[in-house]
Amino acid sequence: MNKNLLHKEAQQFINENLKTDIPGLVLKGSPFENVNIKDLANQILSKSKCRTKLPRWFTTEGVYYPKPLNIEQSSSEITAQYKARLISGESLVDLTGGFGVDSYFLAQKVGQLTHCEIDRELSQIAACNFAVLGAKNVHCIADDGISFLQNTADKFDWLFVDPSRRSDLKGKVFLLEDCLPNVVEHLDLMLSKSRNLLIKLSPILDINAVVHKLKNVKEVHIVAHMNEVKELLIVIEKDNEAPVKIKTINLKKNTEDSFEAVYNTGATSKFSSPKTYLFEPNGAILKAGLFNQVSQQFNVFKLHVNSHLYTSDELIYFPGRRFEILSSFKYNPKEIKKMFSGKKANITIRNFYDTVAQIRKKTGIKEGGTEFLFFTTDVENQALVIHCQKV
């Protein structure tokens, strides 16, 4: 890391060029003798990526940024803050510290946090930024987290690990045991050093497979931000034998939607044709697969076993979008064209054989407006259209 990048003149140059065309800037070369243009470009690119994802870092003077890829792989502030809600105690080790976003927020919930990062330069960058951000209870170690555990006699209240989903041999991986570090292989070591383990995983991983490959799983958290699923969090407690809880959270601008249920409870759904209101679950619930639990807990009816849309005569709180049904009718493109051709509507498909593009082509419905059309399958396996508006 080149600390000359933190000098006033270099920082001013970086801030003045956050919206500048980078290839053109690189061609001009560096205006500073002790800083090359490639390092300046990386600082500009990385800081730009932090504007909305990591606003605390973006607005703090004197932050040193790593390569853009490290920013892309970091948690966002809002998801890191959620993780911190799950933690308490005196000590925590972040086994895969990276840029340090998760560590920064986790450190606010424990007395002492150890940040392990095998990339020595990234470890130095994180340490520099912890000092700038005022995180005085973080100790950075430039070492592999698993090696650190193998060589320490200490025990900790919590361990946190964010296994890499990329392999030099396999590229992007989709199985838990292919991630690095291999949590399945090292789980006994981790539980010998701490009673509590928080694992951050990619939402592409299969929840059922993860739960069956690990032991002592206490909770599974599916974290979405603005209805986009971002993370799968696994909480393990040593010797836990209680049923696994599945918790979904959709973090929004000023509020959040949450839902939880017990894993594999054998809950069943009720079914009905459309009633007065339509409910669409958020992305976290869709990922969790808690479709029967939703029907049971909220006393709402599913339209079809595979449609994952719900209906009721009562307007209730629901972790997702809520609509008032204006009408519902069988899918007939010619008739729908007469009704809606040239008009605007937002189209959603759930368990339906035509794509949105095909529907728009067949019916002439334009995109946008305040009305919504759900194309789905009803309880009698018939193609159904539900015309509604948001409430």
Side-chain angles (χ1 to χ4, degrees):
M1 98 183 252
N2 184 354
K3 291 189 176 181
N4 291 311
L5 285 163
L6 296 175
H7 290 171
K8 182 179 178 180
E9 295 78 11
Q11 289 289 296
Q12 184 176 346
F13 180 86
I14 291 166
N15 291 329
E16 289 175 349
N17 287 279
L18 290 174
K19 296 183 179 180
T20 301
D21 175 65
I22 296 300
L25 187 69
V26 170
L27 288 175
K28 294 179 181 179
S30 173
F32 310 108
E33 291 184 3
N34 52 5
V35 179
N36 66 53
I37 191 62
K38 182 179 178 181
D39 286 343
L40 283 167
N42 276 334
Q43 290 294 300
I44 293 167
L45 286 169
S46 293
K47 182 166 185 175
S48 297
K49 290 180 181 293
C50 292
R51 186 185 298 271
T52 55
K53 184 176 184 178
L54 301 171
R56 188 180 308 252
W57 278 254
F58 182 83
T59 57
T60 299
E61 293 184 9
V63 166
Y64 192 105
Y65 297 92
K67 298 173 184 176
L69 180 62
N70 295 130
I71 301 296
E72 293 171 10
Q73 293 175 339
S74 294
S75 296
S76 65
E77 277 192 38
I78 193 166
T79 58
Q81 287 171 324
Y82 179 78
K83 291 186 200 70
R85 288 157 57 175
L86 309 180
I87 297 296
S88 63
E90 289 302 316
S91 59
L92 181 148
V93 181
D94 185 342
L95 298 171
T96 48
F99 184 45
V101 176
D102 285 318
S103 286
Y104 174 78
F105 289 102
L106 293 172
Q108 296 175 22
K109 293 300 189 76
V110 296
Q112 182 68 39
L113 186 142
T114 302
H115 174 278
C116 294
E117 172 51 52
I118 195 170
D119 183 324
R120 185 166 296 276
E121 182 179 33
L122 191 54
S123 179
Q124 291 174 345
I125 291 172
C128 174
N129 291 333
F130 287 137
V132 170
L133 293 164
K136 298 179 181 180
N137 63 332
V138 179
H139 175 55
C140 291
I141 298 176
D143 193 7
D144 173 69
I146 297 300
S147 296
F148 170 77
L149 288 184
Q150 290 170 336
N151 292 297
T152 183
D154 295 334
K155 294 192 176 183
F156 309 91
D157 291 327
W158 280 89
L159 301 180
F160 172 69
V161 59
D162 176 9
S164 171
R165 268 80 66 185
R166 290 191 176 275
S167 164
D168 292 339
L169 296 177
K170 299 182 180 181
K172 196 168 185 178
V173 298
F174 300 92
L175 298 176
L176 180 60
E177 56 268 39
D178 288 334
C179 297
L180 297 174
N182 185 335
V183 176
V184 178
E185 178 184 351
H186 297 294
L187 185 58
D188 287 338
L189 169 65
M190 294 179 187
L191 291 177
S192 72
K193 300 297 181 179
S194 176
R195 289 191 57 82
N196 302 290
L197 175 61
L198 177 60
I199 309 171
K200 171 189 168 184
L201 299 173
S202 166
I204 66 173
L205 296 183
D206 180 75
I207 294 173
N208 291 328
V210 170
V211 170
H212 284 106
K213 287 174 182 176
L214 299 173
K215 62 183 179 181
N216 305 137
V217 175
K218 182 181 180 181
E219 296 172 353
V220 176
H221 296 248
I222 297 93
V223 183
H225 179 220
M226 302 302 291
N227 209 36
E228 181 181 355
V229 179
K230 296 292 187 179
E231 298 175 357
L232 177 64
L233 304 176
I234 309 297
V235 178
I236 290 178
E237 184 181 89
K238 189 174 183 178
D239 300 327
N240 176 65
E241 294 182 357
V244 179
K245 289 183 179 180
I246 307 289
K247 300 186 177 185
T248 70
I249 186 84
N250 182 35
L251 303 166
K252 298 185 284 188
K253 188 173 182 179
N254 296 312
T255 185
E256 60 188 40
D257 286 335
S258 60
F259 179 73
E260 69 176 77
V262 176
Y263 176 69
N264 280 347
T265 58
T268 58
S269 294
K270 301 181 295 182
F271 297 89
S272 171
S273 56
K275 295 180 178 291
T276 307
Y277 298 101
L278 184 74
F279 305 99
E280 180 190 29
N282 61 42
I285 289 176
L286 294 175
K287 171 61 183 178
L290 299 175
F291 309 120
N292 293 335
Q293 291 89 335
V294 165
S295 176
Q296 190 173 81
Q297 287 193 34
F298 290 102
N299 194 29
V300 290
F301 298 83
K302 288 194 75 176
L303 298 181
H304 184 278
V305 66
N306 296 321
S307 291
H308 309 322
L309 292 170
Y310 301 83
T311 189
S312 172
D313 282 326
E314 301 293 329
L315 181 60
I316 60 169
Y317 162 79
F318 191 84
R321 296 196 296 177
R322 306 185 302 170
F323 301 88
E324 180 184 2
I325 297 175
L326 303 176
S327 63
S328 61
F329 40 87
K330 300 298 182 184
Y331 179 52
N332 184 321
K334 291 183 179 179
E335 291 300 317
I336 295 172
K337 190 170 186 178
K338 293 178 183 178
M339 297 166 60
F340 292 96
S341 182
K343 296 182 179 180
K344 291 183 177 181
N346 302 280
I347 293 178
T348 298
I349 57 173
R350 286 283 184 269
N351 187 27
F352 200 74
Y353 51 83
D354 277 349
T355 66
V356 172
Q358 289 170 334
I359 292 169
R360 291 198 184 278
K361 184 176 180 180
K362 290 179 180 179
T363 63
I365 299 172
K366 297 179 180 179
E367 186 175 357
T370 59
E371 298 182 12
F372 292 78
L373 292 171
F374 282 83
F375 291 75
T376 187
T377 302
D378 67 14
V379 70
E380 297 177 350
N381 289 312
Q382 298 296 313
L384 182 71
V385 184
I386 304 174
H387 179 206
C388 51
Q389 62 186 11
K390 264 189 175 181
V391 292

